[in-house]
Amino acid sequence: MRDSVYLLWIDRLRVMMMVMIMMVSWRCVLGLENINPIFFDEGLSHLFGEGNLIRSPDDRSVRLLLDKYTGSGFISSSMYQHGFFSSLIKLPGAYTAGICVAFYTSNGDVFVKNHDELDIEFLGNVEGKPWRFQTNMYGNGSTNRGREERYSLWFDPSKEFHRYSILWNPTKIIFWVDDVPIREIIRKEEMNGDYPQKPMSLYATIWDASSWATSGGKFAVDYTFSPFVSEFKDIALDGCNVSDSSIRTVTGDNNNININCSVSDQLLTTNDYSTISPKQGAAMRRFRERYMYYSYCYDTVRYAVPPPECVIVTAERDRFKDTGRLKFGGSHKARKRRRRNRSTPVVTADL
């Protein structure tokens, strides 16, 4: 009897240890606290690519497929006036040239001539070459003043899920990879309408971008490798939902609608994902020094005077030519060749 009780206790202890290990692993991938994933039906809708959007039985994840007939995508069911948009994402592997997987916010369907947009776009590559990605911001239709930055990653995004997030509040925008802030845009008065100010929807898409995505269009999508599958799970939408009647009031003879987002905005400026700690700030600097290979802020051919939100960092600027691209020998790849016997450097806020 005593042996049976002991064995039962041991079994329970093993289960508890496994749960703790899973929780630690989950924390490493999740990166940030205060993230509240939703079910697909709670806040998302099919956008395009009938049959190429596959939802999981538990409604917590979705696969987006690209084949020779169509890509696919989903959209948030509502628009948000500021928000935190986040998802665990796993990208296709092997040959992915010409593919673009995008996780972004936009209101282009509503404000056709003066839309706002915040982008994370993953750009595929030939087999054996890594995925690259870029971030961008448009405000009030400022597409002729793109603010893109381009990067590589310190891991293979096709091997496992990583969390990618966009914070947008009244004063700042932060792009996150796991718990590492990779880019921060502080709103400046001089930006005027170039800072996104109108409600936006969340989008996720996979599509054929053969004309530009890989080496400027040199390599196209090869559909003998299709279907290409990108996976999204534990998607979070936190923000001021403009379809929520509790924040909307109708005033005046013209039935003007006022949206009160003060409560939501307060949360979006105080949660952990809206603040960069000193440790995270150091991780961001390491990331940008090692993995950023283009920045509009250092592209003096395009912008003789850097846009007002640019913070010129001498250590970054010295690595770039006047086109905003890395000088020869200035990339992290060169450093890795010199350190080929060492393990790949990891960027994490825990370092």
Side-chain angles (χ1 to χ4, degrees):
M1 178 68 177
R2 185 175 298 174
D3 290 341
S4 298
V5 172
Y6 175 75
L7 291 173
L8 180 62
W9 180 82
I10 290 294
D11 287 339
R12 289 181 176 177
L13 182 61
R14 286 174 178 169
V15 170
M16 291 175 64
M17 290 179 66
M18 289 178 65
V19 170
M20 291 177 66
I21 291 171
M22 290 175 66
M23 290 177 66
V24 170
S25 300
W26 177 255
R27 175 68 180 92
C28 291
V29 172
L30 191 62
L32 300 170
E33 302 288 356
N34 301 321
I35 292 178
N36 303 303
I38 63 170
F39 294 103
F40 191 91
D41 271 343
E42 280 187 278
L44 303 168
S45 302
H46 177 257
L47 180 63
F48 74 99
E50 195 69 36
N52 276 8
L53 184 152
I54 304 172
R55 291 160 58 174
S56 65
D58 65 2
D59 213 32
R60 286 286 194 185
S61 65
V62 60
R63 292 185 173 189
L64 297 182
L65 279 62
L66 169 68
D67 57 28
K68 63 181 180 180
Y69 301 106
T70 182
S72 53
F74 62 81
I75 184 175
S76 60
S77 303
S78 300
M79 300 181 77
Y80 293 82
Q81 180 65 40
H82 307 132
F84 178 76
F85 312 94
S86 183
S87 180
L88 290 169
I89 302 174
K90 185 179 178 183
L91 301 176
Y95 186 98
T96 56
I99 295 173
C100 179
V101 176
F103 184 74
Y104 66 105
T105 64
S106 178
N107 49 33
D109 291 342
V110 178
F111 304 99
V112 178
K113 295 184 178 180
N114 61 337
H115 85 286
D116 305 297
E117 190 169 320
L118 295 170
D119 296 324
I120 298 177
E121 294 179 314
F122 302 96
L123 308 178
N125 217 329
V126 297
E127 193 163 6
K129 298 281 187 171
W131 278 87
R132 303 205 170 191
F133 77 109
Q134 62 185 26
T135 62
N136 209 340
M137 176 190 73
Y138 300 115
N140 203 35
S142 58
T143 53
N144 64 329
R145 295 187 296 278
R147 290 165 157 87
E148 61 264 50
E149 290 186 345
R150 301 187 188 114
Y151 329 86
S152 52
L153 286 161
W154 64 96
F155 53 83
D156 184 344
S158 70
K159 297 297 186 184
E160 58 186 4
F161 285 93
H162 286 269
R163 182 165 289 280
Y164 305 89
S165 310
I166 302 170
L167 168 76
W168 167 48
N169 70 29
T171 61
K172 70 173 71 171
I173 294 161
I174 304 177
F175 294 90
W176 295 86
V177 177
D178 293 329
D179 63 345
V180 177
I182 63 165
R183 179 180 182 182
E184 181 182 35
I185 301 169
I186 302 296
R187 184 177 185 178
K188 298 293 181 66
E189 185 177 350
E190 297 85 351
M191 295 175 71
N192 298 316
D194 283 3
Y195 189 89
Q197 298 177 57
K198 299 184 293 295
M200 292 191 280
S201 299
L202 173 69
Y203 293 79
T205 58
I206 182 171
W207 54 288
D208 186 328
S210 294
S211 63
W212 64 274
T214 307
S215 300
K218 181 179 179 181
F219 300 99
V221 176
D222 184 347
Y223 285 104
T224 62
F225 292 93
S226 68
F228 303 97
V229 181
S230 56
E231 299 181 68
F232 297 77
K233 70 178 183 179
D234 294 321
I235 302 159
L237 292 171
D238 289 333
C240 187
N241 184 334
V242 299
S243 65
D244 187 345
S245 59
S246 66
I247 64 168
R248 294 157 64 95
T249 57
V250 179
T251 61
D253 295 334
N254 295 324
N255 289 332
N256 294 321
I257 296 176
N258 293 325
I259 301 172
N260 182 0
C261 292
S262 57
V263 174
S264 174
D265 285 347
Q266 177 65 21
L267 292 173
L268 290 172
T269 56
T270 56
N271 270 333
D272 69 321
Y273 50 64
S274 64
T275 303
I276 297 176
S277 69
K279 186 181 293 186
Q280 289 170 329
M284 180 167 70
R285 288 191 294 274
R286 287 195 297 272
F287 171 84
R288 295 175 69 81
E289 288 173 2
R290 297 176 183 178
Y291 299 101
M292 183 171 70
Y293 66 91
Y294 172 82
S295 173
Y296 72 105
C297 287
Y298 303 118
D299 190 340
T300 57
V301 172
R302 188 177 181 186
Y303 297 108
V305 177
E309 74 280 0
C310 286
V311 177
I312 304 302
V313 179
T314 302
E316 288 181 5
R317 182 191 60 196
D318 292 346
R319 299 171 56 241
F320 291 92
K321 298 182 288 186
D322 56 6
T323 58
R325 298 180 181 276
L326 286 175
K327 296 177 180 177
F328 290 110
S331 73
H332 70 280
K333 289 185 178 180
R335 281 198 292 274
K336 285 203 290 187
R337 283 196 294 270
R338 290 194 294 270
R339 303 174 183 177
R340 58 186 178 272
N341 294 324
R342 302 183 187 182
S343 58
T344 303
V346 175
V347 177
T348 170
D350 294 328
L351 290 180

